[in-house]
Amino acid sequence: MYQKLQADFLFTGKELLHNGEVLIALSDGTIEAIVAEADAGTDIQKMDGVLCPGFVNTHCHLELSHLKGTIPMHTGLINFVLEIITKRFVEPEAIEQAIIAAEAEMLRNGIVAVGDICNTDHTLAQKQQSALHYYNFIETSGWLPAIAAKRFELAKSLWQQFSTPKSIVPHAPYSVSAILWQKIAPQFSGNVITMHNQETPAEDALFRNGTGDFLRMYRQMQIDNSFFIPSGKSSLQTVAPYFNNAAAVVLVHNTFSTKDDLMWIQQWAQQYNTQLFAAICINANLYIEQQVPTVSDMIDAGIAITIGTDSLASNHSLSVLDEITTINQYFPKVPISNLLQWATHNGARALGMENNLGTFTPHTQPGILQLKGLDVQCNSIKNAQVKRLM
């Protein structure tokens, strides 16, 4: 049985069509074709708004869903990290129920795939029965060189429990010692790798000259930082060589990335034939640092942008539509068609899922959404709504 869908606009994942085109799909959501209305025959379902492929959330911490509302806004990254460390472990039943509820929220919000950060096995049971596509990023951290071997073994053990696609990845430059980098870097070869990047000015201060607020965090965590020798370069330029053999690198947040660093990392990616993506989690950046990422500089550098929600510990919702609404408010010159591409095709590419998700390509099952509240002609988004059709 064919479904024939027509709206004011049809976004294919790559371009916005507005000449009455009809999307034809099977009842299971498999895309058959996009045709002119004159060629579609009868029984066309006409609706308002925009038809769009399912959203891809390239950065989430599903396992932190139980922390919703427990960490104050605007603490700054250092205090936020310390809050996570002290509050993340509660009763297993509470964690499990929050994960179930958060995943249901993502499904309602039109998300079809998630790049999910895994420090524990808390999400494992839910993912085994999930309707969502997951890329499991097994996150590794350990600033003290003495614990590098233990942390690496823990990461390998956790990696074995999760289904593919999956990768062992670093948390952030300020939380991974050089020895731990050397242990995990061979795991990057041919894989998608992600990393929290430049969320606070203190990150670059640490690597350039050994100063900044991370020293306070290490003291509070009773970590002896005397072994650390600053590189004299930004954090990103310091650790990028470890990614030389990765198939793709997804840099997350980039809230304080400079234009020079973004141009540098794009040139690095071209040199090593690595796909490079910047995952924007703008609502989380506002929640934590009251700062928006350097979106205009990412565009100028030619870096492919994707959308993430981060966690409910640092966000009010797990909604890609909420994220692009906020981006539209702060960067109103970015065309809505670009925002939708970041949320669909670019995200699918970043997670290596573009063969089935992200576009209305025949014989794929990307999900079909109806979006309202997107004023394409005025390039504004207000009171946006999403309805999952398939």
Side-chain angles (χ1 to χ4, degrees):
M1 178 70 70
Y2 288 117
Q3 301 286 323
K4 301 175 183 179
L5 307 174
Q6 183 186 55
D8 300 320
F9 295 88
L10 193 159
F11 181 71
T12 68
K14 298 180 181 180
E15 60 179 333
L16 196 62
L17 307 179
H18 54 90
N19 292 313
E21 292 86 354
V22 177
L23 178 66
I24 301 178
L26 297 176
S27 57
D28 66 354
T30 300
I31 303 301
E32 284 292 300
I34 296 173
V35 301
E37 183 176 5
D39 299 325
T42 59
D43 301 323
I44 299 172
Q45 301 177 51
K46 298 189 177 184
M47 58 194 72
D48 299 332
V50 180
L51 290 175
C52 177
F55 292 139
V56 178
N57 177 3
T58 53
H59 183 74
C60 187
H61 297 255
L62 187 59
E63 66 189 13
L64 298 180
S65 299
H66 61 287
L67 295 179
K68 183 176 182 179
T70 65
I71 299 177
M73 297 174 64
H74 310 154
T75 62
L77 181 69
I78 309 301
N79 291 332
F80 178 81
V81 170
L82 291 170
E83 291 268 10
I84 290 286
I85 292 170
T86 58
K87 293 181 176 179
R88 69 178 299 158
F89 294 107
V90 297
E91 291 297 320
E93 294 79 9
I95 295 175
E96 178 184 0
Q97 291 305 310
I99 287 168
I100 293 170
E103 185 182 78
E105 178 184 344
M106 286 196 282
L107 286 164
R108 288 194 305 272
N109 289 333
I111 292 170
V112 297
V114 185
D116 193 46
I117 302 296
C118 309
N119 287 275
T120 68
D121 63 358
H122 294 161
T123 61
L124 184 59
Q126 184 61 26
K127 287 173 178 174
Q128 289 172 341
Q129 55 186 341
S130 176
L132 288 172
H133 300 271
Y134 282 98
Y135 196 115
N136 295 300
F137 293 115
I138 312 304
E139 190 172 77
T140 312
S141 63
W143 187 239
L144 284 173
I147 65 173
K150 180 180 179 180
R151 292 297 177 88
F152 180 49
E153 291 303 317
L154 288 172
K156 288 197 297 182
S157 176
L158 190 60
W159 179 89
Q160 291 173 350
Q161 297 181 58
F162 281 88
S163 300
T164 55
K166 57 186 177 180
S167 305
I168 292 177
V169 302
H171 168 245
Y174 61 82
S175 62
V176 178
S177 68
I179 294 177
L180 185 52
W181 274 108
Q182 291 162 14
K183 289 184 176 297
I184 64 177
Q187 310 296 317
F188 300 165
S189 182
N191 287 318
V192 180
I193 304 303
T194 192
M195 180 184 73
H196 296 75
N197 181 58
Q198 293 171 317
E199 289 184 76
T200 171
E203 188 172 316
D204 277 344
L206 176 68
F207 282 85
R208 288 190 185 281
N209 50 40
T211 62
D213 208 25
F214 277 111
L215 301 183
R216 173 175 67 88
M217 187 185 81
Y218 298 143
R219 286 195 299 271
Q220 287 191 233
M221 296 176 65
Q222 298 183 335
I223 293 175
D224 181 359
N225 190 52
S226 61
F227 68 89
F228 178 66
I229 301 174
S231 66
K233 299 182 290 187
S234 70
S235 61
L236 180 58
Q237 293 192 31
T238 301
V239 303
Y242 292 113
F243 296 129
N244 286 352
N245 295 318
V249 173
V250 183
L251 298 174
V252 181
H253 295 303
N254 318 296
T255 327
F256 293 90
S257 297
T258 65
K259 194 161 193 171
D260 286 345
D261 258 0
L262 293 169
M263 296 295 292
W264 183 90
I265 196 64
Q266 177 70 316
Q267 293 171 0
W268 167 88
Q270 293 171 352
Q271 177 183 352
Y272 288 96
N273 196 31
T274 301
Q275 294 188 78
L276 178 65
F277 300 91
I280 297 175
C281 309
I282 191 169
N283 286 331
N285 304 145
L286 289 166
Y287 190 107
I288 297 172
E289 286 275 355
Q290 303 183 73
Q291 178 78 19
V292 297
T294 55
V295 172
S296 298
D297 290 343
M298 295 176 206
I299 294 172
D300 291 343
I303 297 174
I305 296 174
T306 70
I307 306 297
T309 64
D310 211 28
S311 74
L312 286 174
S314 59
N315 206 337
H316 300 292
S317 68
L318 299 181
S319 168
V320 168
L321 187 56
D322 286 352
E323 298 295 321
I324 65 175
T325 297
T326 304
I327 297 170
N328 176 256
Q329 293 170 0
Y330 283 89
F331 301 93
K333 293 183 179 180
V334 178
I336 285 176
S337 58
N338 288 27
L339 300 180
L340 293 178
Q341 182 171 337
W342 299 353
T344 56
H345 180 52
N346 282 14
R349 286 176 51 223
L351 299 185
M353 298 179 181
E354 68 271 29
N355 289 338
N356 193 47
L357 304 178
T359 61
F360 287 143
T361 301
H363 313 303
T364 65
Q365 292 181 306
I368 302 174
L369 309 179
Q370 178 191 12
L371 308 179
K372 293 183 179 182
L374 281 65
D375 188 334
V376 175
Q377 294 176 326
C378 294
N379 205 60
S380 66
I381 305 176
K382 294 180 181 178
N383 301 316
Q385 300 174 31
V386 56
K387 180 179 180 181
R388 190 171 188 145
L389 302 177
M390 292 185 184

